[in-house]
Amino acid sequence: MADWSPTRYLRFADERSRSFRELVARVAELLAAREVTPSGVVDLGCGPGHLTGVLRSHWPDAAVTGVDSSPAMIATARELHDPGTTYIEGDIADYAAGRLSVTGADVVVSNAALQWVPEHRSLLPDLRDSARRVFAFQVPGNHDAPSHRLLREIAAREPYASALGAPVPRRATEDPGGYLDLLAGPGWGVDAWETTYTHVLHGPDPVLSWISATGAQPTLHALQDADPALRERFERDYGAALREAYPERPYGTPLEFRRVFVVAARG
């Protein structure tokens, strides 16, 4: 897949960052109750680095490392954000296997990234064990929402199906109870929950703009590679379906977005 676009991703930065802020706040509350101040924090799937300030606001003296597989995201993070943070281009699976030069993290967090990692469930015990104190993450739980269902349905039609060569996968994530089963064990306590946000988006075709920067991006890139005109046609068909599924209201376009949160803590 072509690289991610930091500019498109950041269009809805406030809405996308809310889950990260709430996840980190829960971690900070837990550590404060134990009178623990982390010295090292790792952000897996850090994107363009725009949320480093959230980590700094809670733990200003910690050594923070951001990890992302996107060269464009890492380049933006290094250029635009906290110079005291180390940014590493790397894969989450490589981090889980200890193949990246990142060690000694008290806290490991990941926001809306693990769903992109093949078989991410199998990596969770190693990711958990890489944290001396807390492993916390959030993943979207909306893969059966109209936005994603319509993406799969329209991509399965011709001429798109032939150009793509394979169905658009449903990137399955667990419910809170499933992650609890995977991560709970001797020496670990796990808090798992879900939240459905209702974001109010603005502008032309805002749901298409939202998902084009994330969930639909692999499909759009594949169609672009096959035929730019085919991508434009797909965006017209997909955009029309999204406008019907997410009608604009006088105050904007509401988008319901379910997210699953997990905080695993030692002791």
Side-chain angles (χ1 to χ4, degrees), residues 5-16 48 50 201-213:
S5 168
T7 301
R8 298 187 74 174
Y9 181 82
L10 289 171
R11 178 179 172 188
F12 297 105
D14 289 345
E15 292 86 353
R16 295 189 196 280
H50 60 301
L201 308 181
H202 301 280
D205 286 330
V207 179
L208 178 62
S209 294
W210 174 291
I211 196 170
S212 293

Side-chain angles (χ1 to χ4, degrees), residues 83-241:
T85 298
T86 299
Y87 291 104
I88 296 175
E89 182 183 332
D91 187 87
I92 290 176
D94 286 334
Y95 176 85
R99 292 190 289 265
L100 299 183
S101 57
V102 186
T103 59
D106 295 302
V107 175
V108 176
V109 298
S110 182
N111 184 62
L114 289 174
Q115 76 276 7
W116 292 105
V117 180
E119 303 298 331
H120 75 276
R121 298 171 187 81
S122 66
L123 302 180
L124 291 177
D126 287 336
L127 291 172
R128 178 199 63 189
D129 293 344
S130 74
R132 290 194 294 227
R133 294 287 187 172
V134 175
F135 169 53
F137 66 91
Q138 175 274 129
V139 290
N142 65 336
H143 299 289
D144 289 321
S147 56
H148 291 66
R149 177 175 50 78
L150 289 168
L151 174 66
R152 297 192 295 270
E153 290 177 0
I154 295 172
R157 303 172 188 167
E158 294 298 347
Y160 311 121
S162 295
L164 292 169
V168 174
R170 180 187 181 278
R171 298 186 181 276
T173 54
E174 292 283 354
D175 291 333
Y179 285 122
L180 177 65
D181 286 340
L182 287 168
L183 288 169
W188 287 93
V190 178
D191 183 15
W193 72 98
E194 65 180 70
T195 298
T196 298
Y197 299 91
T198 302
H199 301 298
V200 178
L201 308 181
H202 301 280
D205 286 330
V207 179
L208 178 62
S209 294
W210 174 291
I211 196 170
S212 293
T214 52
Q217 192 161 151
T219 303
L220 296 177
H221 283 158
L223 291 171
Q224 178 74 22
D225 290 342
D227 182 353
L230 195 60
R231 171 178 172 156
E232 291 180 7
R233 178 178 169 183
F234 180 87
E235 287 185 316
R236 289 195 298 271
D237 289 347
Y238 187 34

Side-chain angles (χ1 to χ4, degrees), residues 18 22 26 141 176 193-197 257-261:
R18 184 174 171 186
E22 294 179 4
R26 183 70 67 96
W193 72 98
E194 65 180 70
T195 298
T196 298
Y197 299 91
F257 200 118
R258 175 178 175 261
R259 296 183 182 272
V260 178
F261 297 77

